[in-house]
Amino acid sequence: MIDDRALVRRILEGDMNAFSLLINQNQKLVEHMIGRLVKGQEEKEELCQDVFLKVHEKLGEFSFQSRLSTWIARMAYRHAINHLRKRKMFYADIPDEENFTSTFVENETPESLTSEKDMDAFIFKLIDELPAQYKMVLLLYHVEDMAYSEISEIMTMPDGTVKNYLFRARNMLKEKVKKYLGKEELL
């Protein structure tokens, strides 16, 4: 595996194979960042392509103050948020927890979700209902195994805010699970 500095240098010198390698190394991360905020498949694919075009365009500005993957993830997150804002889709400020309402699909019940795989799908459905900022912090920390500092950089917020959002997201998710499953000790 080639290190980030050598990879960036090769890309900036016009090596398209190096750029293909960068895409292959970061494609899942970008798809994950975009896919958690944007639902339409065609829209997700287009946004992912846009992110990598933007990465190629801005690569000369990358200063190695962070890992290359963190910089790319931040770019994907910002691109998805900007897309949502442009389309005037729902991206609200953090709501009061008292006003947070569930949009869980009515025809699915805890009884219908018995296997571990189904339970994972159920939990991810509940996570998808969280406000965008909470959802993203929770997923970056628990699914992508990123450190607070990486999440802070991607979402351009202080470490303390990341910790606060993670705490709130866990509590909101716990309340949703308790509501649907009646199990307090699950999380």
Side-chain angles (χ1 to χ4, degrees), residues 115-177:
S115 74
E116 189 172 316
K117 182 179 178 184
D118 288 340
M119 186 58 72
D120 287 347
F122 177 73
I123 296 297
F124 275 107
K125 277 189 177 285
L126 295 178
I127 290 171
D128 274 344
E129 294 177 2
L130 296 175
Q133 300 96 324
Y134 288 147
K135 174 174 42 176
M136 192 56 66
V137 167
L138 190 73
L139 292 170
L140 290 174
Y141 186 81
H142 287 289
V143 176
E144 296 296 328
D145 293 321
M146 290 187 175
Y148 294 128
S149 59
E150 289 178 289
I151 299 169
S152 174
E153 189 170 336
I154 289 169
M155 297 185 71
T156 60
M157 61 177 63
D159 284 358
T161 304
V162 170
K163 291 175 186 177
N164 187 340
Y165 279 19
L166 186 58
F167 175 79
R168 288 182 180 185
R170 287 174 179 156
N171 283 339
M172 291 169 82
L173 185 59
K174 183 177 180 178
E175 289 303 313
K176 291 172 121 344
V177 170

Side-chain angles (χ1 to χ4, degrees), residues 40-73:
Q41 186 60 35
E42 284 182 34
E43 209 171 9
K44 283 191 275 189
E45 289 173 8
E46 183 178 325
L47 290 173
C48 288
Q49 289 174 0
D50 291 347
V51 166
F52 283 112
L53 289 173
K54 189 175 272 192
V55 164
H56 191 270
E57 176 185 314
K58 303 277 186 185
L59 197 56
E61 299 172 21
F62 179 60
S63 62
F64 296 96
Q65 297 297 314
S66 64
R67 292 186 339 194
L68 183 58
S69 61
T70 302
W71 181 74
I72 292 170

Side-chain angles (χ1 to χ4, degrees), residues 100-114 118-119 121-130 171-187:
F100 183 70
T101 57
S102 174
T103 57
F104 188 72
V105 179
E106 295 296 326
N107 62 356
E108 291 185 285
T109 64
E111 295 78 26
S112 70
L113 300 167
T114 55
D118 288 340
M119 186 58 72
F122 177 73
I123 296 297
F124 275 107
K125 277 189 177 285
L126 295 178
I127 290 171
D128 274 344
E129 294 177 2
L130 296 175
N171 283 339
M172 291 169 82
L173 185 59
K174 183 177 180 178
E175 289 303 313
K176 291 172 121 344
V177 170
K178 280 175 24 179
K179 178 180 175 185
Y180 288 106
L181 298 180
K183 294 181 181 177
E184 202 168 315
E185 284 75 39
L186 187 61
L187 296 178

